[in-house]
Amino acid sequence: MSIRKICVYLLMLVCFVANTAFAALPKEGTYEKRSKSGAIEARMYVMAAGRDSAYTTSLGNENAEIIWVESYLEDGRIWSQFATTYIWKRDDVGAAETALILDREESYCLADNIPATPRYARDMAAFSFRDNGTANVYVQKQFSGVPSSWDLADVSSTFNGEYKHISPRVRFSPLVVAYANEKTANIERFNDADINQDWNQSRIRIEKAKDGYYNLFENMVELGHLIVMKAKVGDDLTLVGETGRGVLTATEVRFRRTPFINDNNVLGFLNLNENVTVHGLVEGYDGQNWCYFTRANGQNGFAAAQFIDVR
């Protein structure tokens, strides 16, 4: 067992040993943490597993509870949020072994129509649920993958404390949808991945779309396709399909009828910053990676993957 995991278990023991008599499984629904003055400091949403749940069914998650927690500044803006899976440890406590964090700077990016790239983290939180409908959350100040802004302020303390179950209803966040898809739809790749920001930035990107929706792009071109989902803050979620947006990074890029270099298969040229819809990635006859795409005019073709930034 690693030193890091031992430290997490010790933290759980210290923080939750008093709760053993009231231990319970996570209860699906919305929890709130309030200050002494009554102001809402944080909310937690639990999407339960192993029971009849519209939330877990629609997310394709059959094995574990998905938990999404968000904390707030005094003016009501989101400070930070994370999505994780509840992992049972003992009768009185569970942990967040891996989480996907969207920090406040990334939330501001989304508000300004700038794509956000959430950060993966490990061993960062512990949970204790009780039969009386309350729960305790403890987030470490330091953990693997902690955002740099968390080093400048005690962000973890905004999550920490007692939460009260207030409703059986759950609302989605783009973050939890991205996490659930990565965790449950691509289990082998998720478990084998070296969880860090460099790995993550090329895989998951969240963009603000029209009418309150968000587009979530999961770049899996190394497996020959991409996943795109639409999510609305609430309970509206759709899987768009295996496609994604590509932006040309060079001028006069040849696009071809077939995925290999030949003077007879050139259909035309692509322009710098041109947007195309990428349907997948294939290895050509020459061993080079090629993107199969559709242009805005409906024309299909192949182009060298090195010249297309998949978003």
Side-chain angles (χ1 to χ4, degrees):
M1 182 180 295
S2 68
I3 297 298
R4 185 173 59 196
K5 287 188 178 293
I6 292 174
C7 290
V8 172
Y9 295 152
L10 289 175
L11 284 167
M12 293 176 193
L13 180 63
V14 171
C15 295
F16 299 118
V17 68
N19 298 327
T20 305
F22 309 99
L25 291 173
K27 183 178 181 180
E28 184 167 271
T30 300
Y31 294 73
E32 282 186 353
K33 172 197 169 188
R34 291 181 176 268
S35 66
K36 292 181 179 179
S37 65
I40 297 177
E41 294 184 328
R43 284 194 178 97
M44 175 170 62
Y45 302 90
V46 178
M47 299 164 198
R51 299 185 287 278
D52 184 15
S53 169
Y55 307 113
T56 50
T57 299
S58 61
L59 287 173
N61 173 42
E62 300 295 341
N63 301 311
E65 286 83 359
I66 296 292
I67 296 177
W68 159 41
V69 192
E70 63 181 19
S71 63
Y72 309 102
L73 298 170
E74 291 182 359
D75 61 7
R77 290 180 299 167
I78 293 177
W79 178 284
S80 191
Q81 52 188 309
F82 67 91
T84 187
T85 303
Y86 178 85
I87 304 296
W88 180 87
K89 295 298 181 180
R90 298 196 313 262
D91 287 343
D92 61 321
V93 68
E97 291 188 339
T98 307
L100 190 61
I101 296 175
L102 195 68
D103 206 15
R104 59 178 179 173
E105 286 80 4
E106 295 291 347
S107 297
Y108 297 161
C109 284
L110 284 176
D112 293 334
N113 295 315
I114 301 172
T117 52
R119 174 189 298 268
Y120 272 107
R122 286 193 187 277
D123 299 332
M124 52 88 71
F127 305 91
S128 179
F129 292 87
R130 305 180 190 134
D131 285 327
N132 64 3
T134 61
N136 271 1
V137 176
Y138 175 77
V139 179
Q140 299 186 72
K141 291 185 178 180
Q142 295 294 328
F143 49 87
S144 175
V146 60
S148 58
S149 61
W150 284 37
D151 294 331
L152 304 177
D154 190 8
V155 178
S156 63
S157 67
T158 65
F159 291 111
N160 293 343
E162 184 175 271
Y163 290 69
K164 183 178 180 180
H165 187 271
I166 63 166
S167 171
R169 294 283 299 167
V170 173
R171 69 185 182 97
F172 286 117
S173 156
L175 187 70
V176 75
V177 176
Y179 181 88
N181 184 70
E182 176 72 5
K183 177 78 173 181
T184 62
N186 310 292
I187 292 177
E188 290 185 5
R189 195 170 70 86
F190 181 89
N191 291 336
D192 293 340
D194 178 16
I195 304 296
N196 57 56
Q197 183 67 350
D198 292 337
W199 174 84
N200 169 241
Q201 277 189 333
S202 63
R203 300 306 197 278
I204 292 180
R205 183 179 308 191
I206 301 174
E207 295 182 0
K208 194 173 182 180
K210 296 180 180 179
D211 301 324
Y213 280 87
Y214 295 85
N215 291 328
L216 300 100
F217 298 88
E218 184 181 0
N219 186 344
M220 296 178 67
V221 292
E222 75 275 14
L223 298 183
H225 63 277
L226 300 97
I227 297 293
V228 180
M229 294 170 284
K230 279 187 177 296
K232 193 171 186 177
V233 174
D235 57 3
D236 196 348
L237 167 68
T238 58
L239 178 65
V240 176
E242 297 179 350
T243 184
R245 181 164 64 92
V247 179
L248 273 295
T249 61
T251 59
E252 296 187 351
V253 175
R254 291 175 175 82
F255 70 97
R256 304 171 184 275
R257 184 178 298 105
T258 49
F260 64 94
I261 297 176
N262 186 295
D263 290 341
N264 297 322
N265 69 356
V266 177
L267 297 173
F269 295 89
L270 302 170
N271 303 312
L272 179 66
N273 295 325
E274 180 177 348
N275 290 293
V276 296
T277 299
V278 179
H279 302 290
L281 181 140
V282 298
E283 182 176 341
Y285 310 135
D286 54 2
Q288 179 174 311
N289 286 330
W290 297 81
C291 283
Y292 179 61
F293 62 88
T294 300
R295 301 185 79 180
N297 62 7
Q299 191 173 24
N300 296 322
F302 293 87
Q306 62 181 310
F307 299 122
I308 299 180
D309 177 21
V310 180
R311 300 180 180 180

